[in-house]
Every structure is written in structure tokens, then in C-alpha cells.
């Protein structure tokens, strides 16, 4: 009878902590947007409003539209990172499907983050940059050789 599966590698623990950190950063970014986004939009100027609120009827409508766009981005980041955290729970135990889903969700989120970085309050830009760094680090940690060996050992232990 085989022994217990190998101990969880440091790479998976670090990926878990990085996922938790990403959730914290996303929450801070959302709070920054909710707290300062409207002021940022109101003082951003006509170039920003025409770029982010095309089709608005007046200045107040343009501000509401651009602020709504910032809020939607923040909420989408929270939802995406929530899914990452959910899948990271399973990835922490070596589930290959979860490691793939964490990677896909993070990299899809990066496409919008990179396209919109710098288009919000300074605090939001900082948290977006941190999320991009974390979302590149987590998949690397999840797919290091030690993580793969751990997943194989867990699978073999379950099959036995």
C-alpha cells in the first residue's frame, strides 16, 4: 500500500498566497475606484470624457458614463479574482484542471487590465499594475516542476 502523497511544495503555497494577495489588491483597487473615481472623472478633462464617454449628451451624462466604466472594470476584477481564489483552493491541492482555469482567468483578466491601465485614478493604476504582476507570477508558480510532481503524486495516491 502506497504512503501518503508528497508534501505540498512551496511553489503551490506561494501561488496560494499570491492569489490571496491578488484578492486583497483587487478589493483595494475597487475601494479606490468607488471612493475617488467620480472626482477623477470630473477633473480629468474633456479629452478623457470624449474617449471614455462617447455619445454622452452633456457633461453630467459623460461623467456618469465614464465613472460607470471605471466601476464596471473594478467589479469585473473582483469577480475574476473571486473565481481565481475559488479555483486556487483546488489548485493548491494539485488539481491540474484548477491550475489551468486559474491561469486562463488571470491571463484573460490581464488583457483588459493592460488595455485600460492608466485610465483611472492613480491608486487604481497602481493596483492594476500589481494585479498584472501577480497574475503573471501565479501561473508560473502553479506550473513549476515541483507542482506537477505533487499533482502526479496526489493522483497516484487517489488511484491506489
Amino acid at each position: 500500500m502506497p504512503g501518503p502523497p508528497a508534501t505540498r511544495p512551496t511553489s503551490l503555497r506561494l501561488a496560494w498566497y499570491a492569489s490571496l494577495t491578488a484578492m486583497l489588491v483587487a478589493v483595494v483597487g475597487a475601494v479606490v475606484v468607488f471612493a475617488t473615481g467620480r472626482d477623477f472623472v470630473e477633473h480629468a478633462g474633456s479629452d478623457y470624457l470624449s474617449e471614455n464617454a462617447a455619445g454622452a449628451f452633456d457633461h453630467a451624462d459623460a461623467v456618469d458614463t465614464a465613472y460607470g466604466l471605471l466601476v464596471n472594470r473594478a467589479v469585473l476584477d473582483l469577480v475574476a479574482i473571486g473565481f481565481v481564489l475559488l479555483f486556487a483552493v483546488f489548485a493548491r491541492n494539485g488539481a491540474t484542471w484548477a491550475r489551468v482555469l486559474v491561469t486562463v482567468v488571470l491571463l484573460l483578466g490581464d488583457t483588459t487590465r493592460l488595455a485600460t491601465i492608466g485610465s483611472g485614478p492613480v491608486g487604481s493604476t497602481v493596483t492594476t499594475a500589481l494585479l498584472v504582476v501577480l497574475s503573471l507570477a501565479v501561473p508560473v508558480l502553479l506550473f513549476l516542476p515541483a507542482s506537477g510532481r505533487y499533482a502526479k503524486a496526489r493522483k497516484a495516491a487517489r488511484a491506489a
Side-chain angles (χ1 to χ4, degrees):
M1 181 166 218
T7 59
R8 183 176 291 125
T10 303
S11 59
L12 286 180
R13 283 195 305 275
L14 289 175
W16 170 248
Y17 295 137
S19 298
L20 290 174
T21 304
M23 185 65 171
L24 178 65
V25 168
V27 168
V28 168
V31 168
V32 166
V33 166
F34 297 146
T36 64
R38 185 169 293 281
D39 289 338
F40 171 79
V41 169
E42 287 176 352
H43 296 88
S46 59
D47 289 340
Y48 180 84
L49 289 176
S50 63
E51 182 179 314
N52 290 290
F57 296 112
D58 59 9
H59 180 74
D61 189 35
V63 168
D64 288 342
T65 302
Y67 176 67
L69 184 62
L70 286 176
V71 168
N72 285 341
R73 290 180 196 157
V75 169
L76 284 174
D77 261 347
L78 287 174
V79 170
I81 296 299
F83 278 115
V84 165
L85 205 57
L86 172 69
F87 299 142
V89 169
F90 296 100
R92 188 171 180 241
N93 292 326
T96 302
W97 64 268
R99 293 186 295 153
V100 170
L101 286 175
V102 166
T103 301
V104 167
V105 171
L106 285 173
L107 296 182
L108 284 176
D110 271 356
T111 60
T112 58
R113 285 184 204 106
L114 289 173
T116 60
I117 196 164
S119 65
V122 173
S124 174
T125 300
V126 169
T127 58
T128 300
L130 286 172
L131 279 174
V132 168
V133 169
L134 287 168
S135 65
L136 294 174
V138 169
V140 169
L141 291 167
L142 289 175
F143 287 98
L144 285 175
S147 301
R149 286 190 299 271
Y150 178 72
K152 286 180 185 176
R154 294 260 317 184
K155 190 174 185 179
R158 279 192 307 266

